[in-house]
């Protein structure tokens, strides 16, 4: 497969992934564009791998993590659904759930967010996530566990506030 065909087939998936990571479709577009440029430069080597799409996700993930380190700023998660990227019709309750999840993910560390998005949105196995993030499978378990625990604490805290009438 040549690079152009690969980029056309994978760009929507990479955009969806990057949008869930960043919470901002415009920033996701920038990250995916930078990742595709990096892939183009290394395409001869990347195209010979068994799963170039996995390598592409790794580059997007690294671009996201590097951006956070370079700018040393906290990204603001927009209260906007991801339908623009997926081109699916919007349904009120689903949109509210996506907005809430986007806000919740925005409260996690970069690594926790990346692990949870790769596991639950992208459906990757822990071994694949470890390869993408260049860490051990144990580290993936740790980030997933601590990320899920943080999400549970926030959800419990919110439900307790609602019960108390706050």
């Amino acid at each position: 497969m040549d690079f152009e065909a690969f980029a056309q087939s994978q760009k929507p998936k990479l955009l969806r992934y990057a949008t869930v990571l960043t919470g901002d479709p415009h920033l996701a577009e920038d990250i995916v564009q930078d990742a595709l440029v990096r892939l183009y430069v290394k395409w001869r080597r990347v195209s010979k791998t068994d799963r170039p799409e996995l390598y592409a996700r790794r580059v997007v993930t690294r671009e996201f993590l590097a951006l956070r380190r370079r700018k040393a700023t906290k990204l603001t998660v927009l209260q906007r659904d991801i339908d623009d990227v997926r081109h699916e019709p919007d349904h009120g309750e689903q949109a509210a759930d996506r907005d809430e999840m986007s806000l919740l993910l925005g409260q996690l560390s970069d690594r926790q967010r990346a692990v949870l998005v790769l596991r639950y949105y992208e459906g990757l196995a822990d071994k694949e996530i470890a390869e993408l993030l260049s860490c051990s499978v144990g580290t993936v378990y740790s980030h997933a566990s601590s990320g899920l625990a943080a999400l549970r604490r926030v959800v419990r805290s919110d439900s307790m506030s609602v019960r108390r009438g706050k």
Side-chain angles (χ1 to χ4, degrees), residues 56-141:
R57 269 198 218 116
R58 176 185 293 172
V59 174
V60 168
T61 304
R62 287 185 177 170
E63 285 292 319
F64 165 70
L65 295 172
L67 175 72
R68 297 286 295 249
R69 281 191 299 269
R70 265 192 321 266
K71 295 204 174 192
T73 60
K74 182 162 173 59
L75 295 174
T76 303
V77 178
L78 301 177
Q79 291 189 9
R80 181 177 175 182
D81 58 34
I82 302 169
D83 285 339
D84 293 346
V85 177
R86 291 192 291 182
H87 304 291
E88 293 179 358
D90 187 355
H91 302 287
E93 191 170 317
Q94 291 174 342
D97 289 346
R98 280 191 300 273
D99 285 346
E100 184 177 359
M101 184 53 68
S102 183
L103 290 171
L104 290 171
L105 287 172
Q107 297 177 30
L108 300 177
S109 75
D110 297 343
R111 293 273 176 172
Q112 289 171 345
R113 184 184 325 175
V115 167
L116 293 180
V117 169
L118 287 166
R119 184 188 270 183
Y120 296 108
Y121 281 80
E122 297 296 316
L124 294 183
D126 290 337
K127 183 178 178 184
E128 293 172 314
I129 296 169
E131 289 174 21
L132 271 170
L133 297 177
S134 300
C135 64
S136 70
V137 174
T139 301
V140 170
Y141 293 148

Side-chain angles (χ1 to χ4, degrees), residues 137-155:
V137 174
T139 301
V140 170
Y141 293 148
S142 175
H143 286 309
S145 177
S146 57
L148 290 172
L151 291 176
R152 281 187 206 101
R153 281 191 301 274
V154 171
V155 170

